[in-house]
C-alpha cells in the first residue's frame, strides 16, 4: 500500500507529536518509531523534521524536556506535553476534524444543492 504525501502531513507535525506525548512522556527515537507504527508503516517523519518540531514546541511552551535515568542505558532527553500543549492539541484536533469535512465536500462533492 502506498505511503502518504509529505505535503499532506506538513502543518500537522506538531499535532502528531502532541498526540503521542498526550499518551505519555517519550524520547525522540521512540516518538519516531511510534509515528511509523501509528501510520501502519505508511509514513516516516524525517529525523531533522522531528527535532526541528521539538525545538519549536519547546520554544512555544507546548512541551518540556528532561534528562532520563542513566541506569536504563544511554542518557536520553525525554519530552512531556504541557497544559498549554494539551489545549493546543485539542484545538488542532478540532480544526483537523473541520478541515476533513470541508475537504471531503470540496474533493468529492458535486454541485446541485444550490439555494433557490
Amino acid at each position: 500500500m502506498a505511503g502518504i504525501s509529505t505535503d499532506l502531513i506538513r502543518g500537522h507535525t506538531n499535532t502528531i507529536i502532541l498526540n503521542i506525548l498526550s499518551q505519555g512522556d517519550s524520547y525522540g527515537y521512540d516518538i519516531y518509531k511510534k509515528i511509523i507504527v501509528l501510520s501502519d508503516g505508511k509514513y516516516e517523519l524525517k529525523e531533522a523534521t522531528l527535532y526541528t518540531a521539538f525545538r519549536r514546541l519547546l520554544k512555544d511552551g507546548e512541551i518540556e524536556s528532561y534528562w532520563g535515568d542513566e541506569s536504563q542505558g544511554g542518557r536520553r532527553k525525554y519530552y512531556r506535553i504541557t497544559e498549554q500543549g494539551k489545549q493546543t492539541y485539542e484545538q488542532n484536533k478540532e480544526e483537523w476534524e473541520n478541515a476533513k469535512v470541508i475537504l471531503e465536500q470540496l474533493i468529492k462533492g458535486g454541485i446541485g444543492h444550490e439555494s433557490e
Side-chain angles (χ1 to χ4, degrees), residues 23 27 32 46 55 61 67 78 89 91 98 102-103 115:
Q23 298 168 47
Y27 57 94
Y32 166 82
K46 291 186 177 113
R55 283 193 297 278
W67 289 104
Y78 282 81
Y89 170 65
Q91 179 182 341
N98 291 334
I102 294 166
L103 284 167
S115 301

Side-chain angles (χ1 to χ4, degrees), residues 74-92:
R75 197 160 184 229
R76 293 183 176 131
K77 184 183 271 192
Y78 282 81
Y79 299 93
R80 78 167 59 100
I81 192 168
T82 63
E83 280 304 314
Q84 180 180 327
K86 289 176 186 175
Q87 291 172 6
T88 299
Y89 170 65
E90 289 302 324
Q91 179 182 341
N92 290 356

Side-chain angles (χ1 to χ4, degrees), residues 2 12-13 15 27 34-35 77 79 91 93 102 109 111-112:
H12 301 287
T13 302
T15 307
Y27 57 94
K34 286 176 181 174
I35 290 169
K77 184 183 271 192
Y79 299 93
Q91 179 182 341
K93 199 167 60 165
I102 294 166
I111 306 295

